[in-house]
Amino acid sequence: MLEEGQEAPMSTRSEIRCGLAAALLALMGLVLSPCASASTEPSPTPSPPRPYISVPGHPYGVAISPDGGHAYVTTTGWPEALVVTDTHTKQQSARIWTGGVDVGISPDGRRAYTTVQAAWSANDWQLRPGSVKVFDTATNTEIDYIKVGVNPVGLAVAPDGRRVYVANSGSDSLSVVDTASGKVVDEVKVGSDPVHVVASPDGRHVYVANSGYGTPASLSVIDTATDKVVGWPGRLGDFTYGLAVTPDGRRLYVTDLLGTVSVVDTATGKVTGGPIPVGWHPKDVVVSADGRRAYVANEGADSLSVIDTSTNKVTETISAHHPTRIALTRDGRHAWITEYWGGRVWVVDL
C-alpha cells in the first residue's frame, strides 16, 4: 500500500524504457519517435462536448457492474479512492477513500476487487508487496485485504467468480486468489513486467501480457485447472500491453505501445491479423459484447481506434482526451474512459 503523500508508480518499466528510447532518437536528431506509430488510421473525427465525471487523484481502472447500473473507477496518487457512479444519472453514489490501480467486479456483482501497488517503507526502505482489496458493493465498504506480489497492475475475475488473477509487474508473476478463502493459492512465474491479464470466456485459460523489460515482450497462457504456463513463450511486439478476448474466445486482441494491435488465434497462438496501425501508446483494448468491434485507447494520440473485427481494419478514429482504460456499458452504446492525468472519466457515445 502507498505511503501517505506518495505518488503511485504508474509508469511501468516498459514505459520508462520507451521514453528513454524516444529521448535518444531526439538527441540523434531524428524526427520520428520510436514510440509513435506510422499510423494510417483515419484522422479523429470532430466531437461535440462530452459529459465527464471529475474524480480525486488519478483515475486509472474502470469496470461496469454486471447489471450495467454502476461504474467503478479506481484512482491513485493522493487521495486514493474507489469511485462508484450511477451509469444512468452520471451521479456519484459513493467515494470509498481507499483506491487502487485496476478494478474488477464479480459475476454476481456483489464484490469489487482492486489492485494496490507496493510502496517503499520509510522505516527500513524495503519494497513491500502489493495487495488486492475486496469491497462489498451493497455497502460500499472494504471487507478484505490480500497480499500478492510486487507492484500488481492488472487483474481479472474468473467467469465463475471463484478466482481473481493478478499480474505483478514488479515480481514477474501471476497471483491466483481464491475468492472464498481470500487467500493466494498459487504464484505463477510468467514473463517480464506483466501488466494486463484477461480470462477466456469459458474460464479454462488466462492470458497475461508481459510488456518486457530487458527481455522481449511476450504473452503467457495459463491453464486454470493446473495453474501452469502452457504456451506462447515467444515474442509479440516490443511493448505488449493491453489485452481483450472475443466473446467466443477464439481471438485475442493485443496492443503494442509503439502503436499497433495484433490478433492472435487462441487455439494455435499464431498471429492471424495485423499488426494493425492505431495511435501512439495504445494502453487498453476492449471488444464489444457482439464481437463485431474492438475499441483501442490511444493514450498518446488522444484518440479511440475502432476496429472492425471481421476485417481487422480501423474504420473510425474518435477524439478522446488522453484515454487510459475503457469499459463498455452492457448495451454497447457507451464507453466509460479514464483520463489518468486529467482527473476525469469521460462518457463517450459509440
Side-chain angles (χ1 to χ4, degrees):
M1 184 173 183
L2 293 174
E3 305 291 341
E4 182 171 344
Q6 181 182 9
E7 191 74 13
M10 289 310 304
S11 292
T12 63
R13 295 175 294 181
S14 61
E15 293 176 273
I16 293 171
R17 185 160 65 111
C18 186
L20 290 174
L24 179 61
L25 282 193
L27 289 173
M28 294 171 63
L30 298 178
V31 176
L32 179 64
S33 164
C35 302
S37 167
S39 176
T40 57
E41 67 169 347
S43 299
T45 54
S47 58
R50 297 189 176 105
Y52 67 85
I53 295 95
S54 294
V55 295
H58 300 304
Y60 187 83
V62 57
I64 306 294
S65 61
D67 65 5
H70 293 89
Y72 293 81
V73 176
T74 51
T75 72
T76 66
W78 188 258
E80 292 183 324
L82 176 62
V83 180
V84 186
T85 303
D86 187 299
T87 57
H88 305 294
T89 66
K90 311 299 188 295
Q91 298 298 309
Q92 294 180 26
S93 56
R95 283 187 182 183
I96 310 166
W97 295 110
T98 176
V101 181
D102 203 4
V103 58
I105 311 297
S106 62
D108 61 10
R110 297 175 59 188
R111 298 288 183 264
Y113 302 91
T114 68
T115 49
V116 180
Q117 292 194 322
W120 289 97
S121 170
N123 296 325
D124 55 11
W125 296 103
Q126 295 295 314
L127 188 61
R128 299 305 186 198
S131 65
V132 168
K133 291 187 176 182
V134 187
F135 300 88
D136 184 320
T137 58
T139 61
N140 289 323
T141 56
E142 181 183 336
I143 58 174
D144 205 356
Y145 178 95
I146 306 162
K147 290 183 179 180
V148 289
V150 178
N151 280 358
V153 181
L155 66 77
V157 182
D160 62 7
R162 297 175 61 185
R163 296 284 189 271
V164 173
Y165 299 92
V166 184
N168 304 304
S169 66
S171 52
D172 298 340
S173 66
L174 183 79
S175 294
V176 183
V177 176
D178 178 81
T179 57
S181 66
K183 297 186 180 302
V184 174
V185 294
D186 215 334
E187 196 81 14
V188 185
K189 293 301 291 184
V190 290
S192 177
D193 201 13
V195 291
H196 204 155
V197 53
V198 294
S200 62
D202 61 11
R204 296 175 60 186
H205 294 95
V206 167
Y207 308 105
V208 182
N210 306 304
S211 62
Y213 179 72
T215 60
S218 65
L219 285 172
S220 295
V221 185
I222 288 90
D223 183 327
T224 58
T226 61
D227 290 338
K228 302 293 184 184
V229 176
V230 294
W232 305 1
R235 178 170 181 164
L236 182 69
D238 294 290
F239 300 97
T240 303
Y241 210 95
L243 295 176
V245 63
T246 53
D248 61 11
R250 297 173 61 184
R251 287 168 294 164
L252 191 69
Y253 283 76
V254 186
T255 74
D256 185 322
L257 290 185
L258 297 193
T260 61
V261 174
S262 295
V263 187
V264 177
D265 184 318
T266 58
T268 65
K270 304 294 185 182
V271 175
T272 58
I276 306 164
V278 290
W280 173 42
H281 212 268
K283 199 69 172 286
D284 197 16
V285 56
V286 295
V287 177
S288 60
D290 61 10
R292 298 174 61 186
R293 298 287 185 271
Y295 298 90
V296 184
N298 305 309
E299 187 178 49
D302 290 342
S303 67
L304 291 180
S305 297
V306 184
I307 297 173
D308 183 329
T309 58
S310 65
T311 63
N312 286 327
K313 297 196 179 293
V314 174
T315 58
E316 185 180 5
T317 303
I318 302 170
S319 294
H321 198 256
H322 297 321
T324 305
R325 298 296 295 272
I326 317 170
L328 302 181
T329 53
R330 193 170 185 177
D331 59 10
R333 296 174 58 188
H334 306 286
W336 285 62
I337 304 168
T338 56
E339 182 190 344
Y340 179 74
W341 293 111
R344 292 175 291 196
V345 180
W346 297 89
V347 183
V348 176
D349 294 335
L350 299 176

